[in-house]
Amino acid sequence: MRRENLAFFPLLALALSLCLRYVDAASSLQPPVKLIWHYYKYHNTCDEAEVYVRHEVEKFWKEDKSITPKLLRLVYSDCMVNGCDASILLDGPNSEKKAPQNRGLGGFVIIDKIKTVLESRCPGVVSCADILNLAARDAVHMAGAPSYPVFTGRRDGMSSSAASVDLPSPSISWEQALSYFRSKGLDVLDLATLLGAHSVGRTHCSNVVDRLYNFNGTGKPDPSMGASFVTEMKKLCPQRLQKGQSDPLVFLDPESGSNYKFTQSYYSRIQSHKAVLEVDQQLIFGNNTAQITDEFAAGFEDFRKSFALSMSRMGNINVLTGNQGEIRQNCRITNKGK
């Protein structure tokens, strides 16, 4: 693994303990790093901002543990499009929320609640973009992932367009997935690590049926799926034969299921040819992604450490700082739109 600048903070540097000797991957945030740790405390503008966020997330999580995958997907859908500017939170008939790839997004109410609390305590200070990244960190920690430091100081974007959403289909090869991640400044370790977010959550059968019944137009199941797993999934996802047919939800990692707990079973299921999504199963077909999959399946702590680093790297994509953007008073609309 290429060892780059270690001048950030100890927890991210822990990811270097991974035994991925031949994987060329970053070990720090991608430059330029415009954010700082404990931004609001450092600038004495809202010392307890992160405490307020964590308190609200914990209240929601105790009632509904599915907030973990919801918030993770929100961060991904935000950061991987125009950067981490909370544009995914903006309402509008043609906003990013309306893009087909963002069907079923949730967690907006949680962000709204946190924003209301922070506006009552520190009005006009904490951005929606920072709230989203902090809330996702706290939710995944409650689900078993590490509690990693989140750099803050982001500002909120002023626009949101469904046409700008370029999130790829889950039915792509590992090469296509890696190409997309690289276009966002991320690498192969980030790809294999961030897909591990599929340890929790659900997906629609419409994202799976092609693998079960007509893979690449062959009229047969995806040969990378175990035969018993195909039979199991067909019971959950019947073939879509008519318009208006229901589109059930299935767990991305049945071993985690409704417990919504992070475990290494996501990676062991890939090894056993039991991944639900094609892009997940594809990890075993690249030399580097296969090596990473084996490492994470064998050692959950390695995954936890790498997840902390990759989430921080994703949270650093094209951030707005300084005089860029604004601090929204309401995460759903720009201040000019009020």
Side-chain angles (χ1 to χ4, degrees):
M1 181 182 294
R2 184 172 67 243
R3 301 196 172 201
E4 299 179 348
N5 182 12
L6 301 182
F8 296 103
F9 41 78
L11 186 55
L12 292 188
L14 283 174
L16 291 175
S17 65
L18 294 170
C19 301
L20 302 170
R21 298 179 183 177
Y22 307 110
V23 177
D24 185 22
S27 59
S28 66
L29 301 189
Q30 60 276 53
V33 179
K34 302 178 181 180
L35 308 174
I36 67 173
W37 194 14
H38 294 314
Y39 174 88
Y40 300 102
K41 184 173 290 188
Y42 178 82
H43 288 283
N44 198 31
T45 52
C46 192
D47 288 3
E48 301 301 314
E50 295 191 26
V51 175
Y52 295 143
V53 172
R54 188 178 308 113
H55 178 67
E56 294 301 320
V57 170
E58 186 174 15
K59 288 197 297 185
F60 274 97
W61 190 81
K62 286 179 178 178
E63 296 295 323
D64 178 13
K65 292 180 173 52
S66 73
I67 71 165
T68 297
K70 290 174 183 175
L71 290 173
L72 274 172
R73 189 179 171 200
L74 267 186
V75 170
Y76 171 79
S77 297
D78 186 45
C79 294
M80 296 294 275
V81 177
N82 292 315
C84 304
D85 64 352
S87 54
I88 190 62
L89 303 179
L90 288 171
D91 287 338
N94 298 303
S95 67
E96 292 173 26
K97 291 179 181 179
K98 301 298 184 179
Q101 298 98 313
N102 287 328
R103 172 193 179 195
L105 277 182
F108 299 104
V109 173
I110 303 166
I111 304 302
D112 291 341
K113 173 61 177 175
I114 296 170
K115 182 61 173 174
T116 299
V117 170
L118 285 168
E119 285 296 306
S120 71
R121 289 163 170 76
C122 312
V125 171
V126 183
S127 70
C128 300
D130 277 345
I131 290 171
L132 178 53
N133 278 267
L134 290 166
R137 183 270 310 274
D138 293 336
V140 297
H141 176 51
M142 292 170 195
S147 180
Y148 50 90
V150 171
F151 281 113
T152 43
R154 299 171 186 81
R155 289 172 64 85
D156 300 321
M158 305 293 290
S159 63
S160 181
S161 169
S164 68
V165 177
D166 61 350
L167 300 172
S169 160
S171 300
I172 57 174
S173 68
W174 70 268
E175 295 99 333
Q176 291 170 311
L178 180 56
S179 176
Y180 179 74
F181 270 61
R182 282 177 171 164
S183 75
K184 307 298 179 179
L186 302 178
D187 59 34
V188 67
L189 182 56
D190 296 316
L191 168 66
T193 300
L194 292 174
L195 282 178
H198 293 165
S199 296
V200 293
R202 300 186 296 174
T203 189
H204 283 279
C205 281
S206 54
N207 292 320
V208 184
V209 288
D210 60 322
R211 300 189 71 205
L212 301 177
Y213 300 99
N214 189 28
F215 183 67
N216 289 343
T218 61
K220 298 178 181 179
D222 182 347
S224 70
M225 297 180 75
S228 63
F229 184 53
V230 170
T231 301
E232 177 186 337
M233 289 301 299
K234 282 184 174 181
K235 294 176 182 177
L236 300 174
C237 295
Q239 193 168 8
R240 298 175 64 80
L241 299 173
Q242 56 190 20
K243 189 175 181 180
Q245 186 173 333
S246 64
D247 190 7
L249 287 162
V250 292
F251 287 108
L252 289 166
D253 182 353
E255 293 181 41
S256 170
S258 59
N259 291 322
Y260 295 101
K261 296 295 289 185
F262 266 77
T263 71
Q264 70 264 44
S265 63
Y266 165 81
Y267 293 99
S268 60
R269 289 182 68 86
I270 291 172
Q271 291 178 316
S272 302
H273 298 271
K274 292 182 178 180
V276 172
L277 295 177
E278 181 180 352
V279 68
D280 295 335
Q281 191 60 65
Q282 280 282 314
L283 290 180
I284 64 169
F285 296 116
N287 289 336
N288 286 339
T289 54
Q291 181 188 344
I292 297 166
T293 297
D294 290 345
E295 181 69 25
F296 290 168
F300 185 49
E301 280 307 304
D302 284 343
F303 167 59
R304 282 166 48 91
K305 294 167 188 174
S306 189
F307 190 79
L309 175 60
S310 290
M311 284 295 291
S312 295
R313 283 170 52 77
M314 183 172 67
N316 192 48
I317 297 174
N318 294 336
V319 295
L320 303 178
T321 58
N323 295 321
Q324 299 172 309
E326 65 179 8
I327 304 297
R328 285 183 218 142
Q329 296 175 1
N330 180 331
C331 292
R332 292 177 180 264
I333 55 176
T334 63
N335 294 339
K336 288 184 179 180
K338 291 191 68 176

